[in-house]
Amino acid sequence: MPKNRNTFSSLTAWRRRVLSRAVHGGWRWVQEAGAVTAEHPGRLRFRGLGPGTRLAFPQGTVFGEEWIVLGDHCIIAEQVTLTAGMMPGLDLGADPILTLGNGVVLGRGSHVIADAPVTIGPDTFCGPYVYITSTNHSYDDPHTPVGRQWPRSEPVEIGPGCWLGTGAVVLPGARIGRNAVVAAGAVVRGEVPDHAVVAGAPAKVVRSWDPEKGWQPPLRTPAPVPVPDGVTPEQLLALAELKKM
């Protein structure tokens, strides 16, 4: 009897392994087939979709593609929402409404809602669940539900080379300068200068770059050591293994 039980358990485990491999392999195939690229745009027809840019599957809500321009080599993770206009089917005019520069990264679950123009500069990286919008609800009339009042819209501009941490929120009218850092969970209104770090809700400058003094207040961690020229990935892996010993 114990022998039969062991045989049954082994057979069940084998079936589970086979099923698991099949499910994971099938999901990888679905992800590859459902990804959007310039060569395989699927149902989406963006105004511009640069080479090397990829929208991972499954995509979030996407509409108004005719007014959306995605630069070269952008990475759009799973469940990212990209919208131009308040709803599908609107004529938004001749100019693009949402523009991503080359090399922009949008982390999983992020939202970019562009009713007024939104521009994200090249090489800007966004962590997961970042929310960028050019439209906000208004509540002027105390007798009308907020969701039924006409919203306010202002353009949003994010400069090149920025980093927006997980859960950061960028509100209408925001202008973020070059190589700025928005801390996780920060809520940005107004203007952020070049080479500044902002945090909090509303976001305030907590660190900035001075050409003569460097970062003020000074950084508390040492600068990362650059990888020497000519070092291969295999050598770096071997070095990491040596450090574990």
Side-chain angles (χ1 to χ4, degrees):
M1 187 65 181
K3 183 177 180 180
N4 291 340
R5 187 182 297 114
N6 291 339
T7 301
F8 179 77
S9 298
S10 298
L11 182 60
T12 301
W14 176 81
R15 287 177 176 172
R16 185 175 180 83
R17 286 195 299 270
V18 171
L19 180 60
S20 177
R21 290 188 187 123
V23 169
H24 285 284
W27 179 242
R28 283 194 295 270
W29 182 88
V30 169
Q31 287 180 306
E32 186 64 30
V36 171
T37 64
E39 296 77 19
H40 303 285
R43 64 177 179 82
L44 300 176
R45 295 293 182 269
F46 293 101
R47 173 172 293 198
L49 181 57
T53 289
R54 181 183 180 92
L55 286 77
F57 180 86
Q59 291 92 38
T61 301
V62 179
F63 63 76
E65 307 98 281
E66 186 178 345
W67 291 274
I68 298 176
V69 176
L70 307 179
D72 303 346
H73 304 288
C74 295
I75 299 174
I76 314 298
E78 296 178 16
Q79 299 291 356
V80 169
T81 290
L82 299 171
T83 65
M86 292 186 181
M87 62 187 70
L90 299 178
D91 185 351
L92 304 177
D95 299 324
I97 300 296
L98 171 56
T99 304
L100 271 60
N102 298 337
V104 168
V105 175
L106 296 177
R108 179 188 178 93
S110 293
H111 288 60
V112 185
I113 311 297
D115 297 336
V118 172
T119 303
I120 302 178
D123 298 315
T124 285
F125 286 22
C126 299
Y129 307 106
V130 168
Y131 191 89
I132 301 168
T133 181
S134 61
T135 297
N136 210 349
H137 291 289
S138 59
Y139 50 88
D140 302 60
D141 186 348
H143 307 295
T144 302
V146 172
R148 296 185 179 277
Q149 298 188 43
W150 194 256
R152 288 184 170 87
S153 297
E154 293 183 74
V156 170
E157 183 178 347
I158 299 175
C162 293
W163 164 247
L164 280 65
T166 301
V169 177
V170 180
L171 294 176
R175 294 183 69 252
I176 300 176
R178 181 184 188 89
N179 281 32
V181 175
V182 178
V187 179
V188 178
R189 300 177 58 188
E191 188 160 346
V192 175
D194 295 349
H195 310 293
V197 180
V198 297
K204 297 180 179 179
V205 175
V206 296
R207 180 171 277 122
S208 57
W209 171 260
D210 183 280
E212 296 181 358
K213 300 179 181 179
W215 287 104
Q216 297 298 315
L219 297 174
R220 290 176 291 182
T221 54
V225 178
V227 177
D229 293 338
V231 175
T232 66
E234 291 76 14
Q235 290 172 325
L236 289 175
L237 290 172
L239 181 62
E241 290 299 324
L242 284 175
K243 288 184 175 181
K244 292 179 182 178
M245 295 180 177

